[in-house]
Amino acid sequence: MKQIHSDIIQFRGTHYDFGYMQGEKIKNSLSVKNREEQWKVRKPRFIIDEKEAKDVIKKFAPGTWDELLGLQEALEWPMQKVLQEFGGYRVDYNRSGCSILTGSSYLIRNYDYHPKTYEGRYTLFQPTDQGYAIIGPSQRVTGRMDGMNEKGLVVGYNFMNRKKPGDGFICCMIGRLLLESCADADEAVSMLKEIPHRHSFTYVVYDRSGKSFAVETSPRRVEIRQTNACTNHFEIMKDENRHHLADSLRRLAVIKETGVEMTEAMEAFRLLNDTDKGVFSDLYSSWAGTIHTSGYLPQEGKAWFALGGDRSPVEFDFDRWLQGEDIDMKRITGEVNTSIPFLHMDDHANWFSK
């Protein structure tokens, strides 16, 4: 078993200052060093036009562009490199797993991915200039793997495929833009119809009223359905699915068989986080091992988070934090059943070695 951690990042202020603070924190970090090593193997096969990226980001969440400017100032990088690492537009995203279950008062989500991509940052950001406050784990600094905003909107996503990518945003940046700008599930659905998509994902959006949608997206079309369980295949846009769906179908069957009638959030959390229930995954080398389980209870204004399986979640009272009460904890710890190095913790978390 490997001991892992996520640092808790708390910030109240402008987007630019938030970006600058994060740039100072990650400068010379293992995450940055390992990502530079990874680019030596996986050469970027895309070109990011700075003006195009600026225009499209500012259209959906203007503050996020200011955050990128703050990162650039702190890191002293050219904007092209900042956009390549943190812009989330016209960049590539590798396959992953993930499972989501919603109920009358909760959204529980397993994040299944490769350890060499995990940056170990759990963020709470309350902007003073524009946009909604957000709690949740970050991906590529500016993006969010899942999260909840001050209005009670919750967002999570599940990978479908990378076939025929388009000129658009990747999943973690889309998650951030939704949380930054949308107050409820209906607004999130409207943005998902408008926003350009790089790859094919299902976004599950859930709000304080209990309304929930699974939004199937690709660079070519968007479809909306209502369900309380989602894994890694489309139900409507079946022509967009990958060929190998056995594990996704198996996990969905487990969730539907035992989870659809669950009214208690902790019961649902245990279904996804316990390693003997059939949803938690140890397939880390296949880009589909469960690294964290998140829980969001928007009616209570609370968020849960656990690293690895068979864990009791750490609970954050987001409503209380929004009133100015800081969280004393600096780091969340856990363990996973792998020896693969993690991006933010280990030297040589690159693609040259296993």
Side-chain angles (χ1 to χ4, degrees), residues 67 78 108 129 140 231 284 331:
E67 187 174 328
I108 310 294
D129 48 1
R140 301 196 183 194
T231 52
Y284 297 99
R331 178 171 283 186

Side-chain angles (χ1 to χ4, degrees), residues 133-163:
I134 302 171
I135 183 170
S138 72
Q139 176 75 343
R140 301 196 183 194
V141 178
T142 55
R144 296 294 180 270
M145 307 174 191
D146 47 71
M148 179 173 70
N149 70 18
E150 64 183 271
K151 295 295 185 180
L153 175 68
V154 182
V155 175
Y157 55 76
N158 291 350
F159 170 76
M160 299 298 144
N161 71 69
R162 296 185 298 160
K163 296 188 297 184

Side-chain angles (χ1 to χ4, degrees), residues 289-320:
T290 304
I291 298 176
H292 76 241
T293 303
S294 291
Y296 299 98
L297 292 76
Q299 291 93 335
E300 299 180 34
K302 292 180 179 178
W304 294 346
F305 191 76
L307 287 168
D310 303 316
R311 307 286 294 186
S312 296
V314 174
E315 182 175 273
F316 298 96
D317 191 326
F318 189 43
D319 282 352
R320 188 174 295 177

Side-chain angles (χ1 to χ4, degrees), residues 6-7 9 18 22 26 118-123 136-138 141:
S6 282
D7 292 323
I9 311 295
F18 185 40
Q22 293 178 100
I26 66 173
Y118 201 75
E119 64 182 35
R121 302 170 73 254
Y122 192 87
T123 65
S138 72
V141 178

Side-chain angles (χ1 to χ4, degrees), residues 93-147:
Y93 191 87
N94 289 298
R95 64 190 185 277
S96 63
C98 304
S99 304
I100 296 176
L101 173 62
T102 64
S104 60
S105 64
Y106 62 80
L107 182 149
I108 310 294
R109 190 268 178 118
N110 276 0
Y111 180 76
D112 304 346
Y113 207 22
H114 199 289
K116 291 182 182 181
T117 68
Y118 201 75
E119 64 182 35
R121 302 170 73 254
Y122 192 87
T123 65
L124 298 92
F125 173 43
Q126 187 174 30
T128 56
D129 48 1
Q130 57 190 307
Y132 297 129
I134 302 171
I135 183 170
S138 72
Q139 176 75 343
R140 301 196 183 194
V141 178
T142 55
R144 296 294 180 270
M145 307 174 191
D146 47 71

Side-chain angles (χ1 to χ4, degrees), residues 55-99:
D55 289 346
V56 72
I57 291 171
K58 292 189 75 170
K59 176 181 178 180
F60 293 100
T64 305
W65 181 258
D66 293 337
E67 187 174 328
L68 291 166
L69 293 176
L71 280 161
Q72 180 191 26
E73 178 73 18
L75 293 168
E76 299 178 297
W77 287 0
M79 183 51 80
Q80 184 68 212
K81 184 175 181 181
V82 172
L83 291 173
Q84 178 178 297
E85 294 290 354
F86 313 124
Y89 181 72
R90 281 201 174 189
V91 296
D92 286 329
Y93 191 87
N94 289 298
R95 64 190 185 277
S96 63
C98 304
S99 304

Side-chain angles (χ1 to χ4, degrees), residues 238-257:
K238 294 183 178 181
D239 57 308
E240 293 271 3
N241 280 331
R242 292 168 293 158
H243 297 299
H244 304 290
L245 301 177
D247 187 65
S248 178
L249 292 167
R250 181 193 62 76
R251 282 182 284 118
L252 185 64
V254 171
I255 294 172
K256 286 189 170 182
E257 180 180 349

Side-chain angles (χ1 to χ4, degrees), residues 225-292:
R225 58 189 173 92
Q226 288 189 302
T227 182
N228 72 328
C230 184
T231 52
N232 301 105
H233 60 278
F234 287 141
E235 296 284 350
I236 299 176
M237 301 194 305
K238 294 183 178 181
D239 57 308
E240 293 271 3
N241 280 331
R242 292 168 293 158
H243 297 299
H244 304 290
L245 301 177
D247 187 65
S248 178
L249 292 167
R250 181 193 62 76
R251 282 182 284 118
L252 185 64
V254 171
I255 294 172
K256 286 189 170 182
E257 180 180 349
T258 58
V260 290
E261 300 300 327
M262 287 182 173
T263 58
E264 297 298 322
M266 185 54 70
E267 191 179 11
F269 189 92
R270 294 268 57 91
L271 173 62
L272 268 67
N273 186 254
D274 286 355
T275 57
D276 63 351
K277 296 291 197 301
V279 182
F280 189 96
S281 173
D282 280 335
L283 301 174
Y284 297 99
S285 61
S286 300
W287 296 77
T290 304
I291 298 176
H292 76 241

